[in-house]
Amino acid sequence: MHRCIELAKLGAGKVAPNPMVGAVLVYDGKIIGEGYHQQYGGPHAEVNAIKGTADDLIRQSTLYVSLEPCAHYGKTPPCADLIIEKKIPKVVIGCRDPFIEVNGKGIEKLKAAGVEVELGILEHECKELIKRFFTFHIQHRPYIILKWAETADGFIGNTDHSRLLISNQYTNRLVHQWRSEEAAILVGTNTALYDNPELMVRLAEGNNPVRLVVDMDLSLPPQLKLFDKQSKTIVFNTVKHEEQENLLYYQITGDVSIVHQIANALYYLKLQSVLVEGGAKLLQSFIDEGYWDEARVITNTALKSKEGIKSPQLVHHLLAKEENILTDTIRYYQSQTISKE
């Protein structure tokens, strides 16, 4: 199952909204086939794991898979049917699939066909692997990651909004990798106006996330890079709801929590995760409402600003991990507020 998880991670940023899944086929204590879900719409992990293996060996093997095999027709036929057709005698499953079209149906179908099923092997690790998928289907909202860079004395930007370069070039590459792994990326009005970001994946391989910006009064100038229509962009505003070429104006109201409205909109739009990159006010809104799962805080330990825009202040959090990239220290926090079903 550890190998299943290793394989599944190779699909990061390529399979959403499907989950990352890995599978291995074991005969006489040895792995004779392995695979993972490589691309959305492509063959599932189970298909890739048994491909090219002789049927007589498959019928004597055990299939390990990190997530319950699907039992419905989606982009591909049900994997449970394939397992039954190939007469695989035993299937070991990491965790149950929370998607309503599966959610135990794959296990039931296998058992009904006489397949021996073992469930819950490295269950926590398998759930952690696809936490975005679980959050989306169980809590009916996107998985929310907060990210910012700050100086050693706790400032996120200059008071006059002039550009303040905090993280180094190696950390910047990592940030672009993070972007490629999430469905969407969100910034506030001031960040869009003063930083004029592209919010694209340029320094890493992978897909561009859907760009999101809060512009309540539609005051941002159309010349900004966010509006170049090179990548799908959603503008949360109180003025209009309409769609143009690669540009969606999504109307919300000013009298209800913006954070909750954005989360609800992303669930409706089937975007399973969002990376909130700023600014400080927007990030603090998510924190104050306890509406976040992870925070990734980059601190340049060699840079002091002495004045400027103060960094957001986390509450109800747990430090999960810390790493150093030259002068940058990256701390990964987990929220202790939101339910982690």
Side-chain angles (χ1 to χ4, degrees), residues 140-179:
H140 301 138
R141 63 167 181 81
Y143 190 84
I144 301 166
I145 303 171
L146 311 181
K147 171 262 167 182
W148 70 85
E150 62 182 23
T151 61
D153 50 352
F155 292 96
I156 198 172
N158 292 319
T159 307
D160 62 0
H161 298 288
S162 59
R163 193 160 180 78
L164 176 61
L165 299 176
I166 297 176
S167 52
N168 63 53
Q169 60 179 325
Y170 301 102
T171 305
N172 287 340
R173 290 183 182 277
L174 178 59
V175 169
H176 279 246
Q177 181 63 45
W178 291 347
R179 289 179 178 180

Side-chain angles (χ1 to χ4, degrees), residues 25 32 50 52-61 82 85-89:
L25 190 66
I32 61 170
I50 67 176
T53 303
D55 284 349
D56 60 327
L57 284 178
I58 293 174
R59 287 194 291 268
Q60 302 174 70
S61 300
L82 177 66
E85 175 194 330
K86 293 292 185 178
K87 296 183 171 58
I88 297 174

Side-chain angles (χ1 to χ4, degrees), residues 147-148 155-157 161 188 190-191 276-288 309-313:
K147 171 262 167 182
W148 70 85
F155 292 96
I156 198 172
H161 298 288
N190 284 338
T191 299
V276 186
E277 283 210 4
K281 183 179 178 182
L282 182 62
L283 286 161
Q284 196 65 55
S285 295
F286 278 87
I287 295 168
D288 291 345
I309 301 169
K310 287 293 292 181
S311 304
Q313 299 300 303

Side-chain angles (χ1 to χ4, degrees), residues 238-306:
T238 60
V239 179
K240 63 180 180 180
H241 193 102
E242 67 178 48
E243 190 162 8
Q244 302 173 3
E245 180 192 353
N246 242 3
L247 188 59
L248 170 63
Y249 291 92
Y250 197 103
Q251 191 170 16
I252 58 177
T253 62
D255 57 348
V256 181
S257 164
I258 294 175
V259 168
H260 284 258
Q261 289 184 83
I262 290 174
N264 289 338
L266 297 187
Y267 179 74
Y268 172 76
L269 294 166
K270 294 181 169 53
L271 295 171
Q272 289 185 7
S273 64
V274 58
L275 181 65
V276 186
E277 283 210 4
K281 183 179 178 182
L282 182 62
L283 286 161
Q284 196 65 55
S285 295
F286 278 87
I287 295 168
D288 291 345
E289 297 195 37
Y291 227 65
W292 60 283
D293 295 282
E294 286 183 36
R296 300 171 183 177
V297 182
I298 302 164
T299 303
N300 185 329
T301 57
L303 177 64
K304 289 190 176 182
S305 186
K306 297 182 180 178

Side-chain angles (χ1 to χ4, degrees), residues 35-252:
Y36 65 98
H37 187 28
Q38 300 178 10
Q39 192 74 40
Y40 174 66
H44 287 186
E46 298 93 325
V47 177
N48 289 327
I50 67 176
K51 183 171 59 179
T53 303
D55 284 349
D56 60 327
L57 284 178
I58 293 174
R59 287 194 291 268
Q60 302 174 70
S61 300
T62 297
L63 180 68
Y64 290 76
V65 60
S66 58
L67 183 68
E68 174 185 2
C70 60
H72 68 295
Y73 281 87
K75 295 283 185 182
T76 61
C79 290
D81 288 359
L82 177 66
I83 292 166
I84 294 167
E85 175 194 330
K86 293 292 185 178
K87 296 183 171 58
I88 297 174
K90 182 177 180 179
V91 178
V92 179
I93 300 169
C95 64
R96 186 165 165 154
D97 190 330
F99 181 42
I100 192 170
E101 294 289 343
V102 186
N103 199 11
K105 296 183 180 71
I107 295 169
E108 291 170 8
K109 181 177 277 194
L110 292 174
K111 286 182 175 180
V115 178
E116 182 186 349
V117 175
E118 188 173 351
L119 176 66
I121 306 303
L122 294 184
E123 183 176 19
H124 174 76
E125 290 85 347
C126 290
K127 285 184 175 180
E128 179 68 16
L129 171 71
I130 54 171
K131 54 195 173 185
R132 294 157 181 81
F133 187 75
F134 265 84
T135 299
F136 187 82
H137 288 289
I138 293 178
Q139 300 187 40
H140 301 138
R141 63 167 181 81
Y143 190 84
I144 301 166
I145 303 171
L146 311 181
K147 171 262 167 182
W148 70 85
E150 62 182 23
T151 61
D153 50 352
F155 292 96
I156 198 172
N158 292 319
T159 307
D160 62 0
H161 298 288
S162 59
R163 193 160 180 78
L164 176 61
L165 299 176
I166 297 176
S167 52
N168 63 53
Q169 60 179 325
Y170 301 102
T171 305
N172 287 340
R173 290 183 182 277
L174 178 59
V175 169
H176 279 246
Q177 181 63 45
W178 291 347
R179 289 179 178 180
S180 74
E181 294 170 355
E182 309 309 329
I185 183 169
L186 171 67
V187 295
T189 309
N190 284 338
T191 299
L193 179 62
Y194 295 108
D195 291 355
N196 193 16
E198 289 184 73
L199 301 184
M200 306 274 266
V201 176
R202 302 184 310 278
L203 304 178
E205 291 185 5
N207 298 323
N208 290 314
V210 175
R211 303 182 292 189
L212 314 173
V213 60
V214 178
D215 184 15
M216 298 297 276
D217 303 320
L218 294 184
S219 59
L220 290 173
Q223 297 83 13
L224 292 178
K225 294 174 184 176
L226 278 175
F227 303 128
D228 60 13
K229 298 181 181 177
Q230 295 299 306
S231 184
K232 186 170 178 63
T233 303
I234 300 172
V235 184
F236 293 104
N237 71 96
T238 60
V239 179
K240 63 180 180 180
H241 193 102
E242 67 178 48
E243 190 162 8
Q244 302 173 3
E245 180 192 353
N246 242 3
L247 188 59
L248 170 63
Y249 291 92
Y250 197 103
Q251 191 170 16
I252 58 177

